[in-house]
Amino acid sequence: MSGTTGPNADLDAEESTIRDCEDCVAPAEAFSVIANETRLSILEALWKASDRPVNFSELRREVGMRDSAQFNYHLKQLTDHFVVQTDDGYDFRQAGKKVVRAILAGSFNEHPEMGPFDVEGTCATCDGGLQAYYSDEMLVIECKECEKNHGCYPFPPGGLNDRTREEIMDAFNQRVRHLHCLAADGVCPECNGRMSTTITRDDEDFLGLEVRVDHECEQCHHQLYSAVGLSLLDQSDVVTFHREHGVDLCTTPYWDLAWCVSDEQTTILSEDPWQILVEIPLDDEVLSVTLDGDLTVLELERSCRSASSDGTQAVSD
């Protein structure tokens, strides 16, 4: 039997329309259009303009091309796919903005390296010092003693510009948070495709975890991995719990929170279905959070804790 009927038929038809649209340009053709210095200069001039749309004469003057016919030729190559022509002049289409942003980010033409350099905080496993280094557009945080990985994520080269190392790490902290927030909400941070989330045992000791969260885009196959606790960074009750203990969770580096980078405070309650307990200790309290396989919070409980003679934590209601 061929064809699709029922509630998914319209969705399938819509997806087919998006992918097979008559006005779409083949990727090779799209890249060939912008593989020209003059056309990139036009996009740069549009980007720098204080007001848009920009009329033809002003845009040509900013690019610095005297030959009006030749300039018009290059501008027409960009029009409709990267630039739009209006009654008031020329403006960006989203694709044109993405090209300029990618250039500014340095993703096409910059390959800097940095580090290793010391990072504030201590290892969640051995309390050793942390260090970071930057290579191949990836920023990595690891323990100097046991080499435990505390994070390895893409960070565009442009993020290094005009920032101290401390500012770079602050920006990296916020970037990682947003990457995982989008992924947990089912949106790929790279292509906006549908992101799926699965819980798996880390049999290969990939992150030094017994259990980890895998996010993968169904469209571009971009992947993110983390400890279960990292998904709780923007959970309202967790944020409130920290605020009541004088901790601003929004600015605290995620790698300085043991429950975000290790699973020593994570307990598997069930695998079929998944139920996972994450215990977050602060001062004399513990916030216990139970999640399912979709990282949905099932239960929250606050309790007091007291130190036992052998140094472990005894928790009581």
Side-chain angles (χ1 to χ4, degrees), residues 280-296:
I280 304 173
L282 271 179
D283 300 328
D284 59 349
E285 274 194 293
V286 174
L287 178 64
S288 301
V289 186
T290 304
L291 305 97
D292 65 12
D294 295 322
L295 302 180
T296 300

Side-chain angles (χ1 to χ4, degrees), residues 103-125:
I103 293 172
L104 293 174
S107 299
F108 291 152
N109 60 336
E110 297 182 21
H111 306 284
E113 295 188 359
M114 178 183 292
F117 56 90
D118 290 343
V119 174
E120 287 191 21
T122 56
C123 176
T125 299

